[in-house]
């Protein structure tokens, strides 16, 4: 069955430290891959996406993600976090065979930033 | 350029009632998808509308229905509300042309069932 797994429910990181959020997927073929961020009381904002090509993808707010086909992973990274990065982060996948673009989301990782 | 707008922001209903949630897509978008996000979980796909027809549906009962209007706006209707329907309902819009267009999300409607 198709699945998206975010192994870390909760991560605490110090301001200025680096951040890495993990995402693993199980799909029949390489899917489209996305990272979204959700601040409290708000909807989802797209950070970055991977469709094909270069496996290192740059996004907004200084985030990047690397697609590793051999590990079925799409991990999100930021070299130096800011207090405003505290939020919930969702990895999402879409099947390349699905022309309608339905997304399947992971359960999310809550990021807390400490001073 | 207005993004995806949803109304109302919050809603409180009781079991057995019916509810209608509304969504206006981002300017230029023609496809609307609805997702249910229960507390502490990721969004779950409900269904998607394009050209006023339901194109895809997730694993939700028939109590969940929708509609898309000629101006691309959409409604989500839920009948016979259950306590388990309490969630944040998110609307997302995209442009149909090209199947790799990212979805843009609204801020959601928080539905509470008493």
């Amino acid at each position: 069955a198709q699945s998206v797994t975010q192994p870390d429910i909760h991560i605490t990181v110090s301001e200025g430290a680096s951040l890495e959020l993990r995402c693993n997927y199980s799909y029949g073929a390489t899917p489209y891959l996305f990272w979204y961020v959700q601040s409290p009381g708000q909807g989802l904002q797209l950070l970055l996406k991977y469709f094909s090509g270069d496996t290192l993808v740059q996004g907004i707010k200084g985030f990047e993600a690397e697609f590793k086909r051999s590990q079925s992973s799409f991990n999100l990274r930021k070299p130096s976090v800011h207090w405003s990065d505290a939020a919930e982060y969702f990895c999402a996948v879409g099947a390349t065979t699905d022309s309608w673009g339905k997304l399947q989301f992971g359960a999310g990782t809550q990021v807390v930033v400490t001073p | 350029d207005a993004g995806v707008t949803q109304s109302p922001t919050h809603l409180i209903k009781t079991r057995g009632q019916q509810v209608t949630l509304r969504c206006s897509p981002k300017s230029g978008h023609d496809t609307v998808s609805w997702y249910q996000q229960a507390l502490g979980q990721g969004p779950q796909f409900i269904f998607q509308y394009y050209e006023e027809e339901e194109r895809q549906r997730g694993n939700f009962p028939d109590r969940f229905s929708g509609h898309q209007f000629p101006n691309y706006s959409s409604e989500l209707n839920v009948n016979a509300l259950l306590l388990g329907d309490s969630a944040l309902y998110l609307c997302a819009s995209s442009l149909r042309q090209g199947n790799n267009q990212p979805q843009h999300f609204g801020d959601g409607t928080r539905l509470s069932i008493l």
Side-chain angles (χ1 to χ4, degrees):
Chain A
Q2 299 172 336
S3 66
V4 183
T5 303
Q6 294 181 245
D8 304 304
I9 298 173
H10 186 275
I11 284 181
T12 299
V13 60
S14 299
E15 191 169 13
S18 64
L19 174 68
E20 180 167 14
L21 304 182
R22 295 183 290 164
C23 174
N24 296 96
Y25 64 89
S26 174
Y27 259 65
T30 299
Y32 298 133
L33 297 160
F34 307 83
W35 275 99
Y36 284 87
V37 61
Q38 185 176 38
S39 297
Q42 296 188 7
L44 303 174
Q45 181 182 20
L46 179 67
L47 287 175
L48 47 77
K49 59 185 184 291
Y50 172 80
F51 292 149
S52 64
D54 193 349
T55 57
L56 186 61
V57 180
Q58 300 299 319
I60 64 172
K61 303 185 178 187
F63 285 92
E64 66 177 24
E66 184 172 14
F67 167 61
K68 292 186 177 180
R69 184 189 307 274
S70 61
Q71 298 178 20
S72 296
S73 69
F74 188 56
N75 294 348
L76 181 72
R77 298 193 295 252
K78 185 169 184 177
S80 177
V81 299
H82 185 263
W83 63 266
S84 61
D85 293 323
E88 186 144 26
Y89 293 78
F90 292 95
C91 177
V93 301
T96 56
T97 54
D98 171 18
S99 65
W100 294 102
K102 178 181 69 178
L103 296 178
Q104 181 172 357
F105 285 84
T109 297
Q110 184 71 46
V111 173
V112 173
V113 180
T114 59
Chain B
D1 179 17
V4 178
T5 59
Q6 294 186 242
S7 63
T9 305
H10 295 87
L11 204 51
I12 300 174
K13 292 286 187 178
T14 58
R15 283 178 295 173
Q17 286 189 312
Q18 178 266 343
V19 68
T20 298
L21 311 181
R22 296 176 175 82
C23 172
S24 292
K26 178 180 170 66
S27 178
H29 286 183
D30 56 11
T31 303
V32 173
S33 302
W34 287 92
Y35 291 80
Q36 180 195 65
Q37 185 180 16
L39 196 62
Q41 299 183 21
Q44 299 291 318
F45 177 78
I46 302 175
F47 44 51
Q48 184 179 68
Y49 278 83
Y50 172 70
E51 290 188 337
E52 302 179 49
E53 292 189 17
E54 183 181 295
R55 300 293 177 168
Q56 274 194 326
R57 189 178 184 90
N59 189 26
F60 280 80
D62 291 344
R63 298 187 298 108
F64 290 77
S65 63
H67 189 78
Q68 186 179 35
F69 299 93
N71 67 352
Y72 308 118
S73 66
S74 176
E75 289 182 349
L76 164 65
N77 300 291
V78 187
N79 295 321
L81 287 166
L82 303 174
L83 291 178
D85 296 331
S86 294
L88 180 68
Y89 288 85
L90 295 166
C91 172
S93 72
S94 59
L95 183 61
R96 169 61 181 152
Q97 183 177 3
N99 65 355
N100 59 358
Q101 297 298 318
Q103 297 187 24
H104 294 252
F105 285 80
D107 287 342
T109 294
R110 173 73 62 186
L111 176 62
S112 299
I113 311 301
L114 303 180

